[in-house]
Amino acid sequence: MAGLVTLLVLVLLAVPALLIAALVMISGLKGRVAMLEARVDELGSPAARAADAPVDAREAAMAAEPTLDELMRSAPTPVVPESRVDATPIAPPRTPVPESSVPPPVAPPPLPSTPPRAVFDTPPPSPQAATPARAAPAAVRRPPPDPATVFVRAVKRWFTEGNVPVKVGMLVLFAGVAALLKYATDQGWMRFPIELRLAGIALAALGGVVFGWYQRERKRSFALSLQGGAIGVLLLVVFAAFKLYGLIEAGPAFGLSIVLVAGAGVLAVRQNAIALALLGILAGFMAPIWLSTGQGNHVALFGYYAVLNAAIFAIAWWRPWRALNLLGFVFTFGIGTAWGVLSYRAQDYATTEPFLLLFFGFYLLIPILYAWRRPAGKRDLIDGCLVFGTPLIAFMLQAGLLEGERMPLAFCALGLAALYAALAWWLQRREHFAALATPYALLAVGFATLAVPLALSAQSTACVFAVEGAALVWLGLRQQRILPQLAGFALQLFAAGGFAIGVSDGPEPLTALLNARFMGALLIALAAFASAWSYRRAERRGFALAYYLWGLAWWCGNALGEIERFLMSDVRADAVLAFAALSAWLAAETYRRLPARALAWTVAAGLAAALPLAFAQESAHLHPFGGYGLAAWLVYAIAGARALRCLRDRAGGELGVAHAAWLWAWPLAASLSLHEFVGRNTVGDGWTWAALALPFLAMAAALQWRPAAIAAPLSERFGQWRGAVQGTFLFALVLGAIVALGQPGASAPLPWLPLLNPLDLSQLAVLALFAFWLASPVGPDDLRARRVPLLATAGFALITVVTLRATHHWGGVPWDGAMFGTGLVQTSLTVVWSLLGVLGWVIGSRRGQRALWLAGAVLMAVVLAKLVLVDRTHLGNLLGIASFIAYGLLCTLVGYLAPAPPSRAADAEDRQPEIPA
């Protein structure tokens, strides 16, 4: 009864759920039908019919087919010819969409090139469908996994592949048997002699080996696991009989272990079972350790390992088992290294070296056998661990045996290089071993490179490394391979490091230029330049620039170091100037044959180096042309002219910079020399300032009125940057004139006259050149528009300073900050500024220049403020009173001559340009 009630309740609960599901399905179907009808109406609209009118008989027949609505009313299931059914499957029912949300149908634009299609027309095939199927892309080679991933995968495969139960069972069986034996021993159950116990276990293990052998065909996984476990038990019996109970001696125990290991290897090869081979080799390598008596006979140890490695080599002849090869490699060289660190003595060399050579020979040939035994499709795979690990570890062990003797190690490295070069040459012509040729060639290069620092000094090593690195860069670019390029880069870095070590540890050279230090750095620089040239030819500008800058740094640093070591301090600046000029010339000659912007900028930098070097020459021997300076500037003149000529045809903006530096260097050198010549005599400071400015004034005047005289050797291109160069000279002159405003400008031995002394004349010349430059077409437009206020401000400042100098030279006022507290200075400034203001008022009024009149008014207002704030403190003397009187008279005069400013209209007419007839 309870079951019936439960069933009834379930039915009552299921009915509403089924009804809801049915309603949802019906509403979805209704929404789908509504969407289809809307589409049919859209296609049947007059605009659509006009746009999709049939153009041939076939399309007219299509248009005559019944609509979807008629088909749905005529039959429950529309029957459509198979060839006319749309290939696109109908979407599943969707939630109904309200009519208000459906956009009104819009007639599509006519497409003359595409014929109209009916509702159920099959769409034309897409271009992708019409195109034949392309071949599947080649599989992307993934990077090798890391060792941890490999270990995890191996463990996972061991527990998921093969006969997992028997594997796990053997492990558990080992643990169970060991526990049972221990318990039985503790309980006293096993009272019979230990010899019988071990013999029983050995017989059971032998039975397991035999049974596993007979089951190798029917149950392979079970049989292999049983054989491996049984051999392991036999090895444990031998170990217990020797180590724990002393039943057998070391020799018989060792012999039995060898027999068991050899048996495991034979079984592994016969059955193609790598697991058995690994077990046997592992047990073989561990046997000397657990059977050791502590006597430490290394000859017996290495002789036994030689037998094991011979077995590995024999197995490699038949089976390409990489794991077995790696296991033998790790144990052989690992245990050998441990013995060497703990027990090696110099007198053991004769008995140890043959074994090292033998082991090296084994693992040199095993990768070749491995590559030979690989299947045809996988012969591009190589055993990289053995290929690269064997020579590196063997060489390190050899270095330990030789106890760091450099020349024997150098010969060993050279011998390895020759061996690997011969192998690379021999293997590259054989298809099976082509993949080994490149690694062996790299090892040959590497050991040949290693032989250099072992046999030569650090500086000589740097030379060879740098040249070899440049050669590898060239080879990598030629073969379009990244590895030689990286190796070349690394070698050049190592060359720099070796050179630095040699410089810090080696003696100082005794001969300039002809010494190892200079030649080593020179070869590093030339190797970098060669690499830059290689990358430049390969159109890889970024790497080319990096190598070029690296080489340029070594080039300059090498020369500067040599100059500092072998030249006196007073001639170093001259030598550096000559070196910079010659370097610029070499770069320009190279640019003429191989245009590169870096070379052009090097020329510009070399010519610009003369600017700071001129100051260094002045500090060394008073002026740039003193001592050997004249010879250095002669070299600069010849090399610089030739460099500019080489850049003339194809260089861009860097040519303008180079020529500007060239034009700046000569007036700077002349200015410093003239300043030193004038300073030797007892003259006023105005002469020395004028001497500094005169060469720059001459260059600025030539740029303004005689540009062709200084344009050589770039006469036709000089106009491109003439304005900019002239602007730099005028900027320097204006800056110097501003600085000179704070100088008294004494003209001794001549008397000081306002505006007729050297300093005032120089400043007037600067003002005149500045005015002409602003009025010329080469002047900047924004400065030209402000020409009048700029010149007026400069003139006002100059007149003010001339007034102050007059009070100093004629009135005896000291030239310092306290002079502004004297009545003479303040009265002079009041009178002069008032005169300037009056002139601005009068001239502005007479010429109708409202701006000039307003400037005069502003100046008079400033003077008035000065009278009220400053000059009133001097009313107790005649000069203060004269200031007020002069200002009052001048204002009265202006009130009579120009009482009001000109009108704006007159000022506008005066500023309106004339229109030529």
Side-chain angles (χ1 to χ4, degrees), residues 22-95:
L23 290 175
V24 171
M25 294 178 62
I26 292 172
S27 62
L29 291 174
K30 290 176 64 178
R32 177 63 177 166
V33 171
M35 293 177 64
L36 291 174
E37 289 179 349
R39 178 60 179 163
V40 170
D41 294 339
E42 178 184 347
L43 294 175
S45 62
R49 287 196 300 270
D52 298 336
V55 296
D56 53 17
R58 177 179 175 274
E59 291 163 352
M62 293 177 184
E65 291 179 356
T67 64
L68 176 63
D69 190 284
E70 294 172 353
L71 289 172
M72 294 179 66
R73 287 197 301 268
S74 60
T77 301
V79 180
V80 184
E82 188 172 335
S83 60
R84 305 291 293 171
V85 177
D86 191 354
T88 304
I90 298 176
R94 289 188 261 177
T95 305

Side-chain angles (χ1 to χ4, degrees), residues 363-755:
Y363 290 99
L364 174 68
L365 296 177
I366 283 177
I368 299 176
L369 293 177
Y370 176 76
W372 180 38
R373 299 297 298 179
R374 295 291 292 174
K378 297 183 179 180
R379 282 174 181 160
D380 58 336
L381 300 176
I382 61 172
D383 196 343
C385 294
L386 297 186
V387 167
F388 293 101
T390 299
L392 295 178
I393 294 179
F395 187 79
M396 288 189 294
L397 293 176
Q398 183 66 55
L401 295 181
L402 293 174
E403 296 183 339
E405 296 184 16
R406 292 181 57 179
M407 287 307 297
L409 274 179
F411 285 114
C412 289
L414 197 60
L416 285 173
L419 173 63
Y420 278 105
L423 284 175
W425 174 79
W426 180 68
L427 293 175
Q428 70 177 353
R429 299 181 298 173
R430 288 160 175 79
E431 182 181 359
H432 290 346
F433 311 109
L436 286 172
T438 300
Y440 283 169
L442 291 176
L443 286 170
V445 172
F447 279 107
T449 303
L450 185 60
V452 174
L454 292 173
L456 303 177
S457 64
Q459 296 174 6
S460 302
T461 300
C463 301
V464 178
F465 276 13
V467 174
E468 186 178 357
L472 282 176
V473 167
W474 173 82
L475 181 63
L477 289 172
R478 185 178 181 87
Q479 297 179 349
Q480 297 183 355
R481 298 173 59 194
I482 190 63
L483 186 59
Q485 299 177 47
L486 294 176
F489 171 72
L491 280 177
Q492 295 189 54
L493 286 183
F494 291 154
F499 183 85
I501 294 173
V503 168
S504 60
D505 297 340
E508 288 292 327
L510 301 177
T511 306
L513 301 182
L514 300 177
N515 58 79
R517 182 180 297 186
F518 176 79
M519 291 300 175
L522 180 62
L523 282 177
I524 292 175
L526 294 178
F529 288 148
S531 300
W533 174 77
S534 300
Y535 276 107
R536 172 73 182 184
R537 292 191 62 184
E539 297 296 330
R540 300 174 69 175
R541 306 295 177 87
F543 291 103
L545 179 60
Y547 271 108
Y548 178 75
L549 294 177
W550 173 255
L552 190 62
W554 279 93
W555 172 269
C556 297
N558 188 30
L560 295 178
E562 204 74 1
I563 289 171
E564 184 178 2
R565 282 192 296 271
F566 292 101
L567 293 180
M568 302 296 292
S569 59
D570 58 339
V571 297
R572 289 174 184 170
D574 305 327
V576 173
L577 177 61
F579 165 74
L582 291 175
S583 299
W585 168 63
L586 290 174
E589 293 290 349
T590 308
Y591 179 88
R592 192 165 63 90
R593 293 164 176 80
L594 183 66
R597 294 195 65 187
L599 292 170
W601 281 112
T602 303
V603 175
L607 296 181
L611 303 179
L613 290 174
F615 292 100
Q617 288 175 315
E618 182 195 27
S619 176
H621 37 67
L622 300 180
H623 64 92
F625 298 120
Y628 290 95
L630 184 61
W633 281 97
L634 181 61
V635 173
Y636 181 80
I638 298 173
R642 176 59 185 170
L644 291 174
R645 191 175 187 87
C646 291
L647 266 64
R648 179 178 59 187
D649 297 331
R650 287 183 285 187
E654 55 273 12
L655 177 59
V657 176
H659 192 220
W662 167 266
L663 293 178
W664 262 91
W666 294 107
L668 178 61
S671 174
L672 295 176
S673 299
L674 189 59
H675 178 268
E676 194 276 333
F677 174 77
V678 172
R680 293 177 186 177
N681 304 305
T682 307
V683 295
D685 65 306
W687 293 100
T688 57
W689 281 94
L692 280 175
L694 184 59
F696 290 99
L697 288 170
M699 181 62 71
L703 287 167
Q704 179 65 41
W705 292 293
R706 293 291 185 271
I710 58 173
L714 309 171
S715 55
E716 62 274 8
R717 298 193 61 184
F718 181 48
Q720 299 176 8
W721 55 83
R722 172 195 163 195
V725 174
Q726 187 177 359
T728 60
F729 274 98
L730 286 171
F731 176 78
L733 286 170
V734 170
L735 186 61
I738 293 174
V739 174
L741 291 176
Q743 304 301 319
S747 58
L750 298 177
W752 186 89
L753 296 175
L755 300 180

